[in-house]
Amino acid sequence: MKTPYQTVLTIAGSDSGGCAGIQADIKSISACGAYAASVITATTAQNTQGVTDIHAIPVDHLEKQLEAVFSDIEFDAIKIGMLHSCEVINAIASKLSTYKAKNIVLDPVMVATSGDKLITDEAIDCLKQFLPKATVITPNRKEAEILVGHAIDKDNCEVTAREIGTQFKTSVVLKGGHLDPTTNDMLDILYEYKTDQLFVIKNPLIDTNNTHGTGCSLSSSIATFLGKGDQLEEAVRKACQYVNQSIAKGKDKALGRGNGPINHFGLK
């Protein structure tokens, strides 16, 4: 008697340095106990110090990747990373609808750590139209500020998470980060759209530069726990704890000359 894998599909870009993107997603999904499949939207020339080139996968090949996996494998959850054009967004939205995809976790990657926009204003407008199709979205503070059009701080982060969820009709994990300098907490805010509930998730702040790929790892681990049957609040809490522990396990590791990755598997 054969038993099926619990499966998660990641649709995202490739990071040649292995810290973020598809590579971080596959590591996170595997570490959290599911089988990872992937559809690549773009390849990057990237290392711990930054991105030097991006090559977008042609949309017709992207569609063929999606058709190949969806026609053969039933997925328990979907993680989606950076969507760099309206054509890509529309192609993915169409396949998700055709195959009735469930447990969709969207990381709306729009802004680099430097604060620079990574996608065009046109793509941002298309992305906003796509957000209601997601089960939950996971913007960081800068991305959330683009979505709502105002600054976010420790005093309004909870209200803003609800504002985003209400506006785009989806649940939200607002990755607040270290918003309050008077505490040693990392703060994430979950707004659950269906129940109109807010949850504040705190984990200890870890002093390290090895945080490259944390956003990818969080969204893909949320997708994994949802796919394994957890309710949204439980899935988000488990994912935040997993990422925090992976940061702790990697804080003293060395890789490259820039910002290193988290330690997904607790490697020695």
Side-chain angles (χ1 to χ4, degrees):
M1 184 76 178
K2 294 183 178 180
T3 58
Y5 285 107
Q6 291 174 315
T7 54
V8 180
L9 173 65
T10 167
I11 304 171
S14 170
D15 171 6
S16 54
C19 296
I22 286 282
Q23 287 80 357
D25 292 341
I26 291 174
K27 292 171 190 174
S28 300
I29 293 163
S30 301
C32 293
Y35 179 88
S38 63
V39 166
I40 298 176
T41 60
T43 60
T44 67
Q46 184 175 173
N47 56 29
T48 63
Q49 298 178 84
V51 180
T52 56
D53 193 41
I54 299 174
H55 172 69
I57 299 299
V59 174
D60 63 339
H61 182 63
L62 171 64
E63 290 175 327
K64 288 174 182 176
Q65 290 183 75
L66 290 164
E67 182 65 28
V69 292
F70 275 125
S71 65
D72 184 48
I73 302 170
E74 183 175 346
F75 291 103
D76 298 306
I78 313 290
K79 176 265 164 84
I80 304 175
M82 187 173 77
L83 305 176
H84 51 272
S85 73
C86 288
E87 291 78 13
V88 167
I89 293 169
N90 292 335
I92 292 171
S94 175
K95 293 299 182 185
L96 294 178
S97 176
T98 297
Y99 287 96
K100 298 178 174 57
K102 58 189 177 184
N103 293 323
I104 299 169
V105 180
L106 173 62
D107 187 12
V109 180
M110 295 183 283
V111 184
T113 303
S114 63
D116 296 328
K117 285 185 181 179
L118 295 173
I119 62 177
T120 65
D121 289 339
E122 180 186 18
I124 290 174
D125 289 339
C126 290
L127 183 61
K128 288 179 178 179
Q129 296 175 38
F130 182 66
L131 296 184
K133 300 180 186 299
T135 305
V136 60
I137 64 173
T138 61
N140 63 28
R141 182 160 45 133
K142 292 295 182 182
E143 290 154 354
E145 287 175 345
I146 290 175
L147 293 177
V148 296
H150 63 70
I152 299 172
D153 56 32
K154 65 182 179 64
D155 296 320
N156 70 358
C157 57
E158 294 180 39
V159 172
T160 300
R162 176 178 270 119
E163 182 181 355
I164 294 170
T166 302
Q167 180 177 346
F168 295 105
K169 298 179 173 57
T170 186
S171 295
V172 179
V173 177
L174 173 54
K175 298 177 289 191
H178 192 220
L179 282 171
D180 188 351
T182 65
T183 72
N184 289 317
D185 294 323
M186 293 294 290
L187 199 67
D188 296 294
I189 311 297
L190 167 62
Y191 171 67
E192 194 165 7
Y193 178 67
K194 289 183 178 179
T195 62
D196 192 35
Q197 288 182 289
L198 276 167
F199 305 93
V200 178
I201 301 169
K202 293 182 180 180
N203 280 288
L205 175 67
I206 298 167
D207 185 16
T208 179
N209 290 325
N210 293 338
T211 57
H212 190 176
T214 51
C216 304
S217 301
L218 179 65
S219 54
S220 53
S221 53
I222 292 172
T224 303
F225 291 122
L226 284 174
K228 293 174 73 173
D230 288 338
Q231 296 300 307
L232 182 58
E233 181 194 356
E234 184 179 12
V236 172
R237 288 189 185 277
K238 284 183 177 179
C240 289
Q241 184 179 43
Y242 162 71
V243 171
N244 189 257
Q245 290 174 344
S246 297
I247 295 172
K249 292 173 182 175
K251 70 182 182 67
D252 297 321
K253 302 294 287 185
L255 183 79
R257 298 182 176 89
N259 295 322
I262 68 175
N263 193 346
H264 293 88
F265 298 104
L267 298 174
K268 302 297 184 183

